[in-house]
Amino acid sequence: MKPLSYWLDSAPAFRCAETGGLPARCETAVIGGGFTGLSAALAMAREGIDVVVLEAGRVAGAASGRNGGHCNNGLVRQVAAVADTFGLERARAFYHTFDQAVETVERVIAREGIACDFRRSGKIQLAAKPSHFGSLSRTHALLASGIDTQTSLVCPGDLSREIGSTRFHGGLVYHRSAMLHPGRLGSGLAQAAHRHGARIWEDTEVTRWRRSGRGGHELETAMGMLEAEKVLVATGAGTGPAFPHLHRRILAVGSFIIATEPLAQHLVDAIMPTRRTAVTTKHIGHYFRMAPDNRLIFGGRARFARSDPGSDMKSGRLLARSLKQIFPILGDVRIDYCWGGMLDMTMDRLPRAGVVDGCHHAMGYSGHGVQMSVHMGEVMAKVMAGDVEANPWRDLPWPALPGHATRAALLPLAGAWFRLRDLVS
């Protein structure tokens, strides 16, 4: 198994990053060159704003280029649970924000001519236990009452039309959902932002931030100092101590993925006849889909651990075992790629966006970041131009995480807790 993201390995490199020193100042600095930062920079540059993007590594090289390539609508949590907390009308509004996010991705790709294999495939949520089908049925009834009429319930006896596995017990299809090639989307967004006038620096980590005497912001990097009138922090799970308020509120959790060799057509037809994105109902479940070259992209939180080369390979071996349990027909198939990435989680698994200490931010997508990050990049460009009401998450409370300093050490305990919940549910 190559310890590489298949998406990054099969995408064209962005070759227009700046190579000289930073300018003394700019109108807006975007910290983070993932989908949120690139989308925001693109939207700002199209409006003629002088925008600089500061990326610690390569553009779209972290979570944006290391996910499953799903572009799904629907909330991370069951809509009924969100309604219990926030009320039905607000849960409905949150749900439709994810619909809008998929539409934003589709629109930006078409407008900028980004070749990233976007397709409205639909998503199927697969019941991992017989009891889980009852929960999916109740969710479908609530959605069909007016929240999302473009969903359909698949009874256990009909599931073979959707997936070639006997491990599941029915499913719920979200027909608005899509898939894409995230590596190509990342390089395409960066190229489009550059074409419209954004300046992008790679390998330029912001190590310190402070307010300047002129009411703006001073950013310290290895490439020198930059003064900006406005700042957008779009660093997700990579948010560090330079922004302590945000750092104390994001939980970084590893998610791991493998990619098979390209499969013969008869195998593709047998295991994924409808070519949808698929997710399972367990807390520690799996997500999978076919890639454009007929590889099966198969992921999950195989281990509650941080992503690093050793951890990724351990998780990859566990995922390979699970893949062949779900699809025994793939027992002899080679695994070509194995990688991990860090999700930026919030306690309630809803995004957060707003302004703290004069710095704007958008993050906390909790595993649904492909669509929401692109959408929130555009939204935050509007917010920073004065349209505060454009932000759908603007007044959500966001308390600091308990035990922040020791949270990495507690990840295995969190994994044990979720495994117990999967066992008894």
Side-chain angles (χ1 to χ4, degrees), residues 59-349:
V59 295
S64 294
R66 307 180 70 82
N67 54 71
H70 297 210
C71 185
N72 293 333
N73 74 318
L75 296 169
V76 183
R77 295 164 58 201
Q78 294 290 349
V79 66
V82 178
D84 287 344
T85 303
F86 295 98
L88 181 58
E89 287 310 306
R90 200 157 191 209
R92 187 197 311 271
F94 289 161
Y95 187 99
H96 289 315
T97 299
F98 281 87
D99 291 341
Q100 295 160 16
V102 180
E103 292 165 5
T104 295
V105 173
E106 186 173 31
R107 172 174 47 78
V108 170
I109 287 170
R111 186 190 68 207
E112 302 298 336
I114 300 173
C116 62
D117 303 296
F118 179 90
R119 183 170 69 86
R120 290 271 191 169
S121 57
K123 170 187 76 174
I124 184 163
Q125 189 174 15
L126 296 162
K129 291 184 174 184
S131 61
H132 292 186
F133 183 67
S135 176
L136 292 182
S137 299
R138 291 187 292 274
T139 295
H140 176 248
L142 179 57
L143 294 175
S145 69
I147 296 174
D148 187 352
T149 58
Q150 294 188 44
T151 60
S152 56
L153 197 63
V154 183
C155 294
D158 298 325
L159 194 58
S160 61
R161 297 202 303 257
E162 291 283 343
I163 187 167
S165 175
T166 60
R167 303 279 293 195
F168 303 106
H169 308 274
L172 178 59
V173 176
Y174 297 73
H175 293 279
R176 297 175 191 266
S177 292
M179 62 172 65
L180 51 77
H181 189 302
R184 293 174 187 162
L185 175 60
S187 58
L189 284 173
Q191 191 65 45
H194 169 78
R195 184 171 62 248
H196 288 287
R199 292 174 288 169
I200 301 172
W201 270 263
E202 294 182 310
D203 300 314
T204 307
E205 181 181 5
V206 174
T207 55
R208 186 180 177 191
W209 159 86
R210 61 177 176 266
R211 296 302 297 262
S212 73
R214 289 183 276 194
H217 307 264
E218 291 181 350
L219 304 173
E220 184 176 323
T221 80
M223 299 292 291
M225 296 288 297
L226 172 67
E227 185 173 353
E229 294 177 26
K230 300 177 182 179
V231 166
L232 173 63
V233 183
T235 45
T239 304
F243 298 94
H245 179 90
L246 303 175
H247 182 57
R248 290 193 297 268
R249 285 160 171 78
I250 284 292
L251 178 63
V253 176
S255 193
F256 306 93
I257 305 176
I258 54 176
T260 69
E261 64 182 311
L263 302 180
Q265 193 62 48
H266 76 277
L267 292 176
V268 177
D269 293 339
I271 64 171
M272 300 287 285
T274 56
R275 312 295 197 275
R276 304 194 195 280
T277 63
V279 299
T280 68
T281 53
K282 284 189 175 182
H283 293 97
I284 305 180
H286 297 99
Y287 50 90
F288 45 93
R289 54 157 291 191
M290 300 307 304
D293 63 354
N294 279 357
R295 299 176 189 272
L296 179 63
I297 309 296
F298 186 90
R301 278 175 284 286
R303 300 166 61 250
F304 265 66
R306 296 187 66 83
S307 173
D308 60 54
S311 183
D312 292 354
M313 295 304 287
K314 289 178 183 177
S315 298
R317 289 189 286 271
L318 292 173
L319 287 171
R321 189 184 311 158
S322 296
L323 181 153
K324 292 170 184 180
Q325 289 170 347
I326 292 173
F327 298 116
I329 195 173
L330 301 184
D332 296 327
V333 165
R334 185 181 70 242
I335 306 300
D336 279 355
Y337 290 88
C338 171
W339 71 97
M342 300 303 294
L343 302 179
D344 51 331
M345 304 280 286
T346 61
M347 292 293 286
D348 60 10
R349 305 194 73 183

Side-chain angles (χ1 to χ4, degrees), residues 361-417:
H361 63 271
M363 57 186 68
Y365 306 126
S366 301
H368 275 44
V370 169
Q371 65 279 19
M372 191 53 66
S373 56
V374 177
H375 182 64
M376 288 307 299
E378 281 204 349
V379 165
M380 294 312 293
K382 295 177 182 177
V383 169
M384 295 172 74
D387 185 5
V388 176
E389 303 242 332
N391 176 14
W393 319 108
R394 60 188 174 275
D395 56 358
L396 286 182
W398 196 12
L401 291 166
H404 170 267
T406 58
R407 59 188 176 179
L410 295 176
L411 284 177
L413 292 178
W417 166 244

